[in-house]
């Protein structure tokens, strides 16, 4: 019996893609992305909120991989295999990875609250 006595609404299922996004970042890097991509490809006729969270999570996963690897590659071209490169690369990767995890946590809170992700609407 629900606490408020109000009728229970159907869940849009927006939590699953965000959970797989966070799993991709924190525990299962390649497997999480494959599952996330599968969810996004199969969400064509799903609830609009689930589609929005699925697309946003896939875009953010790709953007994260490009930004982290691209920044490290540019640093490698500038500094070569020096101590400065390793310092910069580690700081760059940690800061960006943490930023993407925080975006995922905010997105998870929005998915739980049945709200769209913090993401540009024109890309969804």
């Amino acid at each position: 019996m629900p606490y408020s006595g109000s009728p229970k609404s159907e869940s849009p299922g927006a939590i699953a893609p965000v959970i797989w996004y966070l799993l991709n970042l924190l525990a299962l890097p390649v497997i999480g992305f494959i599952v996330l991509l599968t969810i996004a490809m199969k969400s064509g006729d799903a609830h609009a909120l689930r589609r929005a969270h699925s697309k946003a999570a896939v875009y953010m996963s790709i953007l994260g991989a490009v930004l982290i690897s691209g920044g490290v590659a540019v640093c490698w071209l500038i500094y070569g295999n020096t101590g400065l490169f390793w310092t910069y690369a580690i700081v760059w990767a940690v800061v960006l990875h943490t930023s993407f995890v925080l975006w995922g946590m905010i997105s998870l809170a929005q998915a739980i609250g049945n709200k769209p992700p913090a993401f540009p609407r024109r890309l969804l």
Side-chain angles (χ1 to χ4, degrees), residues 24-109:
N24 177 33
L25 287 174
L26 298 171
L28 305 167
V30 176
I31 296 169
F33 182 71
I34 291 170
V35 172
L36 179 60
L37 201 56
T38 305
I39 289 173
M41 289 172 30
K42 291 183 179 180
S43 68
D45 57 347
H47 194 275
L49 191 61
R50 181 181 175 108
R51 275 195 318 268
H53 278 282
S54 298
K55 284 185 180 180
V58 169
Y59 287 150
M60 290 298 281
S61 294
I62 294 170
L63 181 65
V66 168
L67 284 178
I68 291 173
S69 61
V72 170
V74 167
C75 185
W76 176 268
L77 291 174
I78 293 172
Y79 297 115
N81 191 13
T82 62
L84 189 58
F85 160 73
W86 288 105
T87 304
Y88 179 83
I90 290 170
V91 170
W92 178 262
V94 167
V95 168
L96 280 179
H97 186 268
T98 304
S99 300
F100 281 93
V101 170
L102 288 175
W103 180 87
M105 293 169 57
I106 291 169
S107 185
L108 180 62

